[in-house]
Amino acid sequence: MQGELIIHGATEHNLKDINVVIPKGKFVVITGVSGSGKSTLVFDVLYKEAQRRYLNTLSSSVRKEFPPFAKPKVKAISGLSPALALKQQQGLFSSRSTVGTLTEIYDFLRVLYAKIGIPHCPQCGKPLSVHTIPEIVQEILSLPKGERIILLAPLPPSDKKEWWKDYLKDGFIKVKVNGRIYDLTEEEPPAIPHNPEVIIDRLIVKPGIETRLRDSVELALKLSGGKLKVELPEKETLFFSLKAICPQCGFNFPPISPTLFSFNSPLGACHLCQGLGKTGKQVCPACAGKRLRPEALAVKIAGEDISSLAGLSITEMFAFFDTIVLTSRQKKIAEPIWQEMKSKAGNLQKMGLGYLTLNQSISELATGEYRRLLLAMCINSSLSDVIFILDEPTTGLHPKEVEQLITCLRALKDLGNTVIVVEHDLQVILSADYVIEIGPGSEEKGGRITFTGTPLMLKESDTITGQYLSGKKRIYQRKKLALTNSYLVIERAAVNNLKDITVKIPLNRFTCVCGVSGSGKSSLIIGVLYQYLKQHLYGKKKTTIGIDSIKGIEKVKHVVLVDARPITRGHRSNPATYTGIFNYIRQLFAKLPEARARGYTPDRFSLNVKGGRCESCQGEGVIKIEMPFLPDVYLTCEACQGKRFNEDTLEIKFKGKNIADVLDMTAIEAYEFFRHIPQLKRQLGTLVEVGLGYLHLGQPVSTLSGGEVQRLKLAKELSRKNARHTIYILDEPTMGLHLEDINHLLLLLDRLIARGHTVIVIEHHPEIIKAADYIIELGPEGGQKGGYLLRSEWA
């Protein structure tokens, strides 16, 4: 890919009529402080225009089915190729979505089992073979020369007393019932036989019997409905079938197809748990958590069912296939399927994800694991001449995993694509071909191009990022606190991949828990510590956690988890409603003279209650349009023009501003506007302190990045006047933060510790690890190779 992507006159959101040239076919990083306009340029201008142009390529009859797609606020964009975006939000997945289904490796595994898997009887465990007539004839002819054989046709059950007469009329004179042979011309067999068989032929294996043998085999299969027995003197009887039928108990195996191995299909899913593996919160007793019906689990390759293989790590699964012995026929069938699986899994292993299992739920993945999984899938797609847009792909990655990420980003570029990354990580910035910095500040103080050029040129510049790269600016160096004898002690944690470890965590100190992705950090701190404290502090329903005990919890009064999980998908939830600020604003508006004269209560100014809100959009300000094969589109509500309230409600004003005007303010603007109201000033001040002063009070939380969500949750907790001895658990709080913003974060954490609280941070960022009082490291790898305590010491 050659040429340039030129953006001219972009004024979306806080962008200041910017012009920028992005080289195509390159690895480009766009950086800047939070709220500077990076995501606005990349997603709200560049990606949105790419979507709009795609829709315009459709026929007019198809376009009529879609709503008008608004053009972003930009004068012109030239050189724009098709674009794909990997945004920061992980989204919400059902438990049916797994690593195997998302990457499609499990789909190929299902095909492999359908083609070369050996069915076994689910009742007695006996292997079931399916043969063709030529295969049956050939196998009989391969018996030792001179071997005497008897060909029998197993008969279907009959309730006729003289059942044998029909066969006698057709010329069959001998039958076998209950192990005894009857000559129908001389004696009658039992009236109600058990597994009767007609003797078709007696042969001696020797050259020249091929034609007679084939005719007899065909006759037996026709008479029995596809089954044949071959008796050999003093040897095990051979059983052949055109269908998978158990010779011992008669179980008729269903047709084997890839769908039989799908837990998302009624043909393959366990009848009790419907393919979920659980009934309520318990492992399904019918399938033991394997999700599939018994027949699917009875199909095996080298003795293993498909669920057992999906439970191995990707690396272990491929090692298993490298060691098994297949017939030449099986090899020929399996080879193309196997190569596809290897191709898709290869990039997962390059991304350091070989420890994942195919049956692992996507919802259980760490953010960094999920992002690398999507990136590997993009490389597997082999697309070229595409613009790939990634939003902070280093989120959740250990420094050594960032190297793997950079390698894959370059591989994506080398396929002939343009890779545009919104990123703060210095390692990624220095590895880029080209860097664009937007700033210099956030919101109204941002929106300008402050630098374009190579990483070396950036290092020599005077921009904020350039100063950190050159060492002119440094991260705040917090003073390490003295050792303490006051600890929480987690004893013998063995949940998920944790290896029965005992860990000490000092109270009223700043502890950093680090390690590669999948090493067990979240399992230890969130899965064990947080869940245990919730149960014992708040009387939550007790469930099995996987530890002996935690000592020292009598010193803890509260526990707070601050993570990046989405708050809600709705458009009515916003920073003002989530933090509780909007409650005070609604009460303030309801107390105004005009509102009291009309009998308005605080509910009149609610987005969730009928009366004051716009009912056309139900207080959301937008109308959601579902788009086939594209992300949903939100159009401004024509009834209220996006103001969310009806005209009567908007007539009530405080200091010249109505309720919609207030929601349109940024946190900094609202802080100044309500500075004489102590409660509002305090809570709005907290939003500004955590670096979210640029957010609009009414901005839907569903549009926030993972880092912004986390800081919003932190602001909500900081605004509460919690008693001493609260444990704050922060899961990767540097997500989405520029080094300048990390300074503010460290100052906030110091404030919490100064108030007598304990801060535990799950983090990879070197500056956070460096700033901690105490360090806990898990590893050495991810998955089952992780879960060991590598170090637990004062920094």
Side-chain angles (χ1 to χ4, degrees):
M1 182 194 293
Q2 300 295 327
E4 296 175 331
L5 173 58
I6 303 172
I7 300 174
H8 177 61
T11 57
E12 191 77 39
H13 192 44
N14 70 329
L15 299 181
K16 305 297 193 299
D17 196 27
I18 65 174
N19 303 313
V20 64
V21 177
I22 301 174
K24 296 177 74 174
K26 300 293 183 183
F27 169 21
V28 180
V29 168
I30 298 183
T31 191
V33 298
S34 298
S36 60
K38 306 181 300 297
S39 296
T40 299
L41 175 66
V42 173
F43 291 103
D44 298 339
V45 175
L46 184 59
Y47 182 56
K48 186 176 181 181
E49 177 63 9
Q51 284 185 298
R52 189 184 72 84
R53 292 188 187 182
Y54 165 72
L55 287 178
N56 286 341
T57 65
L58 304 178
S59 66
S60 57
S61 59
V62 173
R63 288 203 306 272
K64 283 191 287 188
E65 302 298 320
F66 296 95
F69 205 93
K71 187 178 185 294
K73 295 177 182 177
V74 60
K75 290 176 184 175
I77 299 180
S78 60
L80 182 59
S81 303
L84 289 175
L86 302 182
K87 294 188 178 181
Q88 199 180 94
Q89 291 94 336
Q90 183 162 334
L92 302 175
F93 289 90
S94 76
S95 58
R96 293 184 182 277
S97 185
T98 66
V99 171
T101 60
L102 191 65
T103 60
E104 298 179 349
I105 296 175
Y106 186 72
D107 296 337
F108 283 97
L109 190 62
R110 291 193 292 118
V111 174
L112 192 67
Y113 264 79
K115 295 298 183 183
I116 68 168
I118 305 298
H120 289 64
C121 177
Q123 297 175 357
C124 66
K126 191 175 182 65
L128 311 180
S129 298
V130 179
H131 297 83
T132 63
I133 292 175
E135 287 174 339
I136 296 172
V137 172
Q138 188 59 43
E139 188 165 340
I140 295 173
L141 288 173
S142 66
L143 292 171
K145 299 294 183 290
E147 188 79 68
R148 295 179 180 273
I149 60 173
I150 302 175
L151 274 62
L152 302 99
L155 300 178
S158 174
D159 55 1
K160 294 171 63 175
K161 288 185 178 181
E162 296 184 332
W163 57 273
W164 49 272
K165 287 188 175 182
D166 291 334
Y167 298 104
L168 182 60
K169 289 178 184 178
D170 291 335
F172 300 103
I173 61 173
K174 290 187 178 181
V175 296
K176 187 174 184 179
V177 179
N178 300 332
R180 179 185 168 190
I181 296 176
Y182 292 85
D183 186 331
L184 300 181
T185 62
E186 298 178 358
E187 58 181 331
E188 294 184 6
I192 304 177
H194 178 66
N195 297 331
E197 299 160 342
V198 172
I199 296 177
I200 302 297
D201 203 351
R202 296 172 184 264
L203 293 165
I204 297 174
V205 178
K206 60 183 179 181
I209 67 166
E210 288 87 347
T211 302
R212 177 178 170 182
L213 176 61
R214 176 182 288 276
D215 291 343
S216 297
V217 166
E218 289 178 349
L219 181 59
L221 293 171
K222 181 179 179 181
L223 195 66
S224 65
K227 295 177 285 184
L228 168 68
K229 271 188 175 183
V230 180
E231 288 189 350
L232 295 84
E234 300 179 358
K235 292 183 180 179
E236 185 177 353
T237 299
L238 302 180
F239 181 84
F240 299 97
S241 176
L242 299 180
K243 301 176 183 177
I245 300 174
C246 180
Q248 187 166 312
C249 60
F251 181 84
N252 196 338
F253 210 90
I256 299 176
S257 70
T259 308
L260 180 66
F261 306 100
S262 173
F263 45 79
N264 292 321
S265 166
L267 293 178
C270 167
H271 72 282
L272 184 61
C273 65
Q274 305 298 310
L276 294 173
K278 293 183 177 293
T279 51
K281 292 187 177 181
Q282 304 298 319
V283 173
C284 174
C287 66
K290 292 190 172 185
R291 300 183 170 202
L292 296 170
R293 61 189 282 189
E295 292 86 345
L297 295 172
V299 179
K300 300 182 180 181
I301 295 177
E304 298 291 342
D305 63 61
I306 192 170
S307 183
S308 297
L309 279 192
L312 297 176
S313 71
I314 291 171
T315 301
E316 290 171 338
M317 183 183 72
F318 279 83
F320 169 83
F321 278 119
D322 285 339
T323 59
I324 64 174
V325 178
L326 300 178
T327 66
S328 58
R329 176 179 174 275
Q330 287 177 320
K331 283 181 181 178
K332 189 174 181 179
I333 295 171
E335 187 61 27
I337 304 169
W338 181 236
Q339 290 305 321
E340 283 291 336
M341 291 174 64
K342 269 189 163 180
S343 173
K344 289 183 177 294
N347 284 312
L348 292 179
Q349 292 175 305
K350 287 178 185 176
M351 293 290 285
L353 297 175
Y355 61 85
L356 295 180
T357 64
L358 295 187
N359 63 8
Q360 195 164 346
S361 173
I362 294 297
S363 60
E364 295 174 356
L365 296 182
T367 305
E369 292 171 325
Y370 173 70
R371 303 292 291 283
R372 283 182 289 159
L373 190 68
L374 291 185
L375 188 56
M377 290 169 60
C378 289
I379 297 172
N380 285 337
S381 70
S382 297
L383 291 173
S384 61
D385 200 19
V386 172
I387 298 173
F388 283 94
I389 302 171
L390 294 91
D391 190 10
E392 298 174 18
T394 61
T395 297
L397 297 190
H398 188 274
K400 84 170 189 178
E401 295 167 321
V402 174
E403 283 291 346
Q404 296 169 332
L405 170 72
I406 292 170
T407 300
C408 286
L409 291 175
R410 290 201 167 278
L412 197 57
K413 182 201 76 170
D414 291 341
L415 289 172
N417 301 299
T418 300
V419 178
I420 300 176
V421 177
V422 177
E423 189 55 78
H424 303 288
D425 186 272
L426 297 185
Q427 195 176 350
V428 175
I429 293 172
L430 289 171
S431 301
D433 299 320
Y434 196 77
V435 182
I436 299 169
E437 184 169 358
I438 301 180
S442 61
E443 200 54 36
E444 289 308 311
K445 293 181 180 178
R448 303 181 189 279
I449 301 295
T450 59
F451 174 84
T452 60
T454 66
L456 288 178
M457 292 166 61
L458 176 63
K459 195 172 182 178
E460 296 170 358
S461 75
D462 201 38
T463 67
I464 292 176
T465 306
Q467 291 180 54
Y468 277 106
L469 281 172
S470 65
K472 292 177 184 176
K473 292 196 78 166
R474 296 184 182 278
I475 290 290
Y476 159 69
Q477 300 296 308
R478 64 180 295 273
K479 183 180 179 182
K480 302 291 182 72
L481 298 179
L483 279 63
T484 177
N485 292 319
S486 184
Y487 292 91
L488 283 179
V489 182
I490 304 172
E491 296 189 319
R492 304 192 66 181
V495 68
N496 294 334
N497 68 335
L498 296 177
K499 304 300 192 294
D500 202 27
I501 60 176
T502 295
V503 183
K504 294 198 305 183
I505 300 174
L507 294 172
N508 190 214
R509 294 294 185 270
F510 174 14
T511 296
C512 181
V513 182
C514 59
V516 298
S517 297
S519 59
K521 304 180 301 297
S522 296
S523 294
L524 176 67
I525 301 301
I526 299 175
V528 172
L529 177 61
Y530 178 63
Q531 297 300 331
Y532 189 93
L533 289 175
K534 273 204 312 180
Q535 290 181 11
H536 287 78
L537 294 176
Y538 309 126
K540 298 287 184 181
K541 184 178 178 181
K542 295 191 176 182
T543 56
T544 303
I545 291 178
I547 55 169
D548 278 5
S549 66
I550 297 182
K551 293 181 179 177
I553 63 169
E554 67 279 356
K555 302 168 187 174
V556 180
K557 303 301 179 186
H558 302 284
V559 62
V560 172
L561 172 63
V562 181
D563 61 14
R565 287 181 301 174
I567 295 170
T568 179
R569 285 183 169 180
H571 263 61
R572 287 195 292 269
S573 181
N574 53 56
T577 58
Y578 179 73
T579 58
I581 291 171
F582 201 47
N583 291 334
Y584 294 104
I585 294 174
R586 292 192 297 113
Q587 291 169 11
L588 173 65
F589 270 79
K591 290 177 182 177
L592 295 174
E594 181 64 22
R596 295 176 66 182
R598 298 187 185 190
Y600 290 171
T601 66
D603 283 351
R604 179 77 191 193
F605 303 94
S606 171
L607 297 170
N608 298 313
V609 180
K610 291 183 179 180
R613 70 180 186 183
C614 170
E615 286 306 318
S616 294
C617 62
Q618 296 186 326
E620 293 196 355
V622 293
I623 304 295
K624 177 182 175 181
I625 307 296
E626 294 185 353
M627 305 282 281
F629 313 114
L630 285 172
D632 295 333
V633 171
Y634 293 89
L635 300 179
T636 301
C637 174
E638 295 181 358
C640 67
Q641 295 300 308
K643 294 185 180 296
R644 312 182 202 193
F645 294 93
N646 57 38
E647 291 183 2
D648 290 341
T649 305
L650 295 176
E651 289 175 357
I652 308 300
K653 296 185 178 182
F654 174 70
K655 295 170 62 175
K657 303 289 185 181
N658 61 35
I659 194 75
D661 295 330
V662 171
L663 287 177
D664 197 41
M665 292 179 181
T666 64
I668 290 177
E669 291 170 342
Y671 178 80
E672 290 297 323
F673 187 74
F674 293 111
R675 65 183 181 277
H676 299 302
I677 303 174
Q679 184 62 40
L680 282 173
K681 181 181 178 182
R682 181 176 65 83
Q683 288 194 271
L684 288 165
T686 305
L687 277 177
V688 176
E689 284 178 335
V690 298
L692 295 179
Y694 61 88
L695 285 187
H696 290 263
L697 296 186
Q699 182 175 342
V701 294
S702 58
T703 65
L704 303 184
S705 69
E708 288 170 333
V709 165
Q710 205 163 21
R711 281 178 283 159
L712 184 61
K713 292 179 179 180
L714 182 59
K716 181 178 181 179
E717 294 302 329
L718 287 172
S719 65
R720 292 175 176 170
K721 294 182 177 179
N722 281 339
R724 291 171 65 86
H725 308 308
T726 295
I727 290 184
Y728 287 92
I729 298 172
L730 287 78
D731 188 8
E732 299 176 16
T734 63
M735 184 188 301
L737 296 189
H738 189 276
L739 287 171
E740 186 75 0
D741 303 309
I742 292 176
N743 275 326
H744 300 306
L745 173 66
L746 289 173
L747 288 167
L748 283 170
L749 299 184
D750 263 353
R751 276 181 49 196
L752 289 174
I753 295 167
R755 293 179 185 176
H757 303 309
T758 299
V759 173
I760 303 171
V761 174
I762 302 170
E763 188 56 78
H764 301 285
H765 202 292
E767 296 295 342
I768 296 294
I769 298 172
K770 191 190 302 181
D773 299 315
Y774 195 82
I775 297 173
I776 296 169
E777 184 175 3
L778 301 183
E781 302 294 338
Q784 290 307 311
K785 292 184 178 179
Y788 295 97
L789 181 62
L790 301 184
R791 64 169 169 157
S792 177
E793 61 191 20
W794 292 94

